Amino acid sequence: MKKQNEKSDEESQLHKRAEELLKKGHFKTRLPTSESDKLKLIHELEVHQIELELQNEELMIANENARLAYERYTDLYDFAPSGYISLSKQGNITNLNFAAAAILGEERSFLMKQLFSSFVSVHTRSKLYLFLEKIYETKVKQSCEIIIALLGNPPKHVNIEGIISQNYKFYNLTLIDITERKLTELKLQEEKAKTEFSEAKFRGIFNKVADAIYSYNPNNMEIIEANEATSAIYGYTHEELIGLSCLAFSGEVEKSKIVAKEVVQKGTSYVNLRHHKKKDGTDIYVQIQVHKIRVKGEEIIFAVCKDITEILKAEKEILDAKEHAEESDRLKSAFLANMSHEIRTPMNGIVGFTNILLDEDCTPEDRSHFLHIIERNSRQLLCLIDDIIDIAKIESNELKICIDKCKVSEMLEDLEDNFNQIKSNLNSYPIELKLEMPSEYNDLVVQTDPIRLRQVVTNLLSNAFKFSDKGTVTYGFNVNEKSIEFFVKDEGIGIPQNKLDEIFERFKQLNFRNISKLKGTGLGLAICKGIIERLGGSISVESEIGVGSRFVFNIPLE
């Protein structure tokens, strides 16, 4: 109804204006004189009237469309989700929509002509001034972030995009409230910081653990992550470990594949003792625990390996020590039993023949013979006691060494005379004694303990004769750069290869059946080894069953 009234008012005003112009004579008309001209003029006026009415109708439609478009624009502007605001060059608000008013926290009517910067926090106000200045200077769209400070309400983070108007009189700005986004970003940053802290804390613990910890892909067996202990135990750098197949550790490749498959399929944990290899090929033994875990939707294998090589070694050493102690105890028992026999034999001879000497009917010849037997048994008993004392001193590290000058050739020649004298006292003794010395060292003198050196050579020669039935016993020495090397070689029964390391142990005595003359205490070679080591040297042996043995020992020249 209002629209129709507006239309009538416009037509009446137009009509009045036309009448006024006609009265003033602005339009001169010539009226037709003939009837046909009048009819023609009337027709033209009617057509022209229709044309004007059509044009007027089109104008009204266009005007209505423009009005509707303006209303739609106004609605879109007013109720847009983003805030729209126009500022004068001085920064006063000239226009804004409801969203902008909501962002600023005031009614739209109140905000008109207000200074926009007064709503901006002091800390971001300089950013706003710079932003407006850039818009004006560049004439292109700019953006920035500011904080709207509201009394009694939390501040709002706002993103602004703006451009200068075409007449350069207004700043047209778009405001978007990004407070929620900022809070979300802040929360994410806090969560990220917490996560990084937790990861750093875990990483610190992960790397400080003494056991190797690593994870790997069960499909290709490649290591995904490993701690520092893995590098230390297996000898790889961290860079080398990542992407390396964990089968490189395993000394049992196929078994490792089967275990990984079972853990993935059955979801079971696996704990066992495994043989592994280091990068340099060194064998180690680990107690391994394998578990399946899920990370970001993917299944991986998590392994913890404890290097127990030294533990197993210690256990073996303890077991060996236990066996050695048991063996030593057994040998001591056997030694004591044998020693009882060894002592009783000469003692029985001494006691028995002493009783015979007490008989008044004993002839001088028998008396002399019996005295020789008593003397021989006494010497045998004395040697036995000396051996016991020597091994006790060696065991307690109390064997005294008296360093003095020793002419080597003289000592060896004297031993040759002694053993040849013993041979001459035995009828048809089938063993030859041979001394070999380099002629250029006939006058060689060394600083050592002459008595102990003679004891060692005597012991080795006695053993050579004891374990030989025929052939030659050869002994002598050679001179090296810093030491003198003595040797005693026989052609006797020989020593088994698996017993060569045992013969220098105390109470050890090889068991030779049906050879009665090979009885003894089992202390001789142990005493030789102890004396030679106290003299600063070492002793070794080479032997072959049925061929003979060669003992070699060396002592320093000075």
Side-chain angles (χ1 to χ4, degrees):
M1 188 69 182
K2 183 179 179 181
K3 292 178 182 178
Q4 291 177 353
N5 293 334
E6 290 175 353
K7 181 178 178 182
S8 300
D9 291 342
E10 290 174 358
E11 289 177 352
S12 61
Q13 289 177 2
L14 185 63
H15 182 75
K16 287 179 180 180
R17 188 179 176 189
E19 286 182 346
E20 289 175 356
L21 290 174
L22 183 62
K23 289 177 179 179
K24 291 179 180 180
H26 288 288
F27 295 93
K28 293 182 178 180
T29 59
R30 288 184 298 173
L31 296 175
T33 54
S34 65
E35 190 67 25
S36 61
D37 289 338
K38 291 179 179 179
L39 292 174
K40 184 177 180 182
L41 179 60
I42 292 170
H43 175 74
E44 288 178 356
L45 289 172
E46 289 176 348
V47 171
H48 187 63
Q49 182 181 0
I50 292 172
E51 289 177 351
L52 288 175
E53 289 177 354
L54 289 173
Q55 290 176 356
N56 186 49
E57 186 177 353
E58 288 176 356
L59 286 172
M60 292 176 66
I61 292 172
N63 185 51
E64 180 65 16
N65 289 336
R67 187 185 63 78
L68 292 174
Y70 176 77
E71 289 179 354
R72 284 197 299 271
Y73 167 76
T74 302
D75 290 342
L76 289 173
Y77 178 83
D78 286 342
F79 299 103
S82 299
Y84 296 119
I85 191 169
S86 295
L87 304 180
S88 66
K89 290 178 67 175
Q90 290 74 31
N92 297 98
I93 299 172
T94 59
N95 197 11
L96 77 164
N97 66 352
F98 291 115
I103 290 173
L104 297 178
E106 297 289 350
E107 293 292 333
R108 188 157 65 161
S109 58
F110 171 80
L111 293 169
M112 296 299 291
K113 298 183 180 181
Q114 294 288 333
L115 192 62
F116 178 68
S117 60
S118 64
F119 296 92
V120 179
S121 70
V122 176
H123 301 295
T124 59
R125 199 170 290 171
S126 58
K127 291 175 66 176
L128 174 67
Y129 295 150
L130 182 62
F131 165 72
L132 295 175
E133 184 179 336
K134 288 177 69 175
I135 290 176
Y136 190 80
E137 289 178 353
T138 61
K139 308 296 187 297
V140 296
K141 183 185 291 186
Q142 301 291 335
S143 65
C144 76
E145 288 185 11
I146 62 171
I147 297 176
I148 301 297
L150 304 175
L151 290 175
N153 291 303
K156 292 182 179 180
H157 294 266
V158 177
N159 183 74
I160 303 180
E161 289 186 352
I163 193 166
I164 196 74
S165 64
Q166 291 183 351
N167 59 8
Y168 306 119
K169 292 183 178 181
F170 301 99
Y171 298 104
N172 295 323
L173 309 180
T174 302
L175 311 183
I176 299 176
D177 187 349
I178 59 171
T179 304
E180 289 297 325
R181 190 186 80 185
K182 281 291 183 179
L183 292 175
T184 302
E185 288 177 356
L186 182 61
K187 188 175 181 180
L188 288 174
Q189 288 175 358
E190 291 175 351
E191 291 297 326
K192 182 180 179 183
K194 290 179 181 178
T195 302
E196 289 175 350
F197 176 76
S198 297
E199 287 180 354
K201 189 175 180 181
F202 169 77
R203 175 66 61 182
I205 297 171
F206 183 65
N207 282 323
K208 287 180 181 178
V209 174
D211 298 338
I213 303 175
Y214 58 90
S215 58
Y216 62 90
N217 186 323
N219 297 319
N220 55 20
M221 307 295 282
E222 290 182 358
I223 294 174
I224 300 169
E225 187 54 270
N227 67 346
E228 292 177 0
T230 307
S231 298
I233 291 173
Y234 291 99
Y236 293 89
T237 65
H238 185 264
E239 291 73 17
E240 290 173 330
L241 285 170
I242 305 305
L244 177 72
S245 172
C246 64
L247 297 178
F249 300 158
S250 180
E252 305 160 293
V253 175
E254 293 303 320
K255 188 173 182 180
S256 296
K257 290 180 179 178
I258 293 170
V259 168
K261 187 176 180 180
E262 288 181 352
V263 170
V264 172
Q265 290 179 347
K266 299 179 181 178
T268 56
S269 298
Y270 172 83
V271 181
N272 206 344
L273 175 67
R274 299 292 296 278
H275 168 219
H276 277 189
K277 286 185 176 292
K278 300 173 73 170
K279 182 181 178 181
D280 60 6
T282 304
D283 292 322
I284 60 173
Y285 292 89
V286 299
Q287 186 180 49
I288 184 170
Q289 300 180 42
V290 182
H291 310 276
K292 180 181 74 172
I293 60 175
R294 185 174 290 275
V295 178
K296 294 180 181 179
E298 294 185 3
E299 291 180 342
I300 64 171
I301 302 297
F302 192 76
V304 180
C305 299
K306 182 179 182 65
D307 185 357
I308 58 172
T309 307
E310 293 301 321
I311 295 175
L312 292 179
K313 184 178 178 182
E315 288 177 353
K316 185 178 183 303
E317 288 175 353
I318 291 171
L319 184 61
D320 290 344
K322 178 176 176 291
E323 292 176 352
H324 183 72
E326 291 173 349
E327 177 68 7
S328 295
D329 187 61
R330 186 189 65 78
L331 290 173
K332 283 181 181 178
S333 299
F335 168 75
L336 291 174
N338 184 49
M339 191 61 61
S340 175
H341 171 75
E342 293 293 326
I343 291 174
R344 282 177 177 276
T345 300
M347 283 297 295
N348 287 336
I350 293 169
V351 173
F353 285 105
T354 300
N355 289 332
I356 294 174
L357 288 174
L358 294 175
D359 188 353
E360 295 180 355
D361 296 333
C362 184
T363 64
E365 292 79 8
D366 290 338
R367 187 180 299 276
S368 176
H369 176 65
F370 295 153
L371 285 172
H372 282 297
I373 294 173
I374 292 171
E375 181 188 16
R376 187 168 64 252
N377 281 279
S378 298
R379 289 182 180 278
Q380 182 181 346
L381 183 60
L382 182 62
C383 288
L384 180 61
I385 293 171
D386 286 341
D387 282 351
I388 295 172
I389 293 171
D390 283 344
I391 197 67
K393 288 181 177 180
I394 290 171
E395 288 293 310
S396 61
N397 200 27
E398 293 181 357
L399 183 70
K400 292 183 179 180
I401 299 296
C402 300
I403 302 298
D404 200 355
K405 293 180 180 180
C406 176
K407 189 174 182 180
V408 179
S409 60
E410 188 177 289
M411 183 266 292
L412 295 180
E413 288 170 351
D414 187 43
L415 285 174
E416 182 181 27
D417 293 339
N418 288 344
F419 275 89
N420 282 331
Q421 181 64 39
I422 293 172
K423 283 176 56 181
S424 65
N425 293 334
L426 300 173
N427 296 324
S428 64
Y429 199 73
I431 300 174
E432 180 183 351
L433 180 63
K434 184 178 180 182
L435 173 60
E436 292 182 353
M437 297 186 298
S439 58
E440 63 270 27
Y441 291 108
N442 282 337
D443 297 324
L444 177 66
V445 176
V446 296
Q447 291 289 331
T448 187
D449 188 327
I451 296 174
R452 293 299 181 183
L453 179 59
R454 182 187 182 96
Q455 180 182 353
V456 171
V457 178
T458 301
N459 231 332
L460 294 177
L461 286 173
S462 297
N463 278 350
F465 279 100
K466 184 191 294 186
F467 290 96
S468 299
D469 291 326
K470 59 182 179 178
T472 303
V473 172
T474 306
Y475 74 109
F477 71 92
N478 293 304
V479 178
N480 299 323
E481 184 178 351
K482 294 183 180 181
S483 64
I484 179 171
E485 181 181 271
F486 294 88
F487 62 87
V488 176
K489 181 178 178 299
D490 65 62
E491 297 175 358
I493 59 177
I495 305 168
Q497 291 296 314
N498 62 342
K499 299 293 183 180
L500 292 179
D501 293 333
E502 296 182 7
I503 61 173
F504 295 107
E505 296 180 19
R506 66 189 189 283
F507 311 133
K508 284 283 186 178
Q509 192 174 23
L510 300 185
N511 183 22
F512 294 96
R513 295 179 181 178
N514 304 321
I515 306 179
S516 60
K517 75 170 186 173
L518 300 185
K519 293 180 180 179
T521 62
L523 296 176
L525 290 177
I527 292 171
C528 289
K529 182 174 182 291
I531 292 173
I532 292 167
E533 288 178 350
R534 288 298 303 274
L535 293 176
S538 61
I539 186 170
S540 62
V541 61
E542 297 174 356
S543 186
E544 186 177 347
I545 293 293
V547 177
S549 304
R550 185 174 188 270
F551 287 84
V552 178
F553 71 91
N554 61 74
I555 59 173
L557 281 172
E558 297 181 356

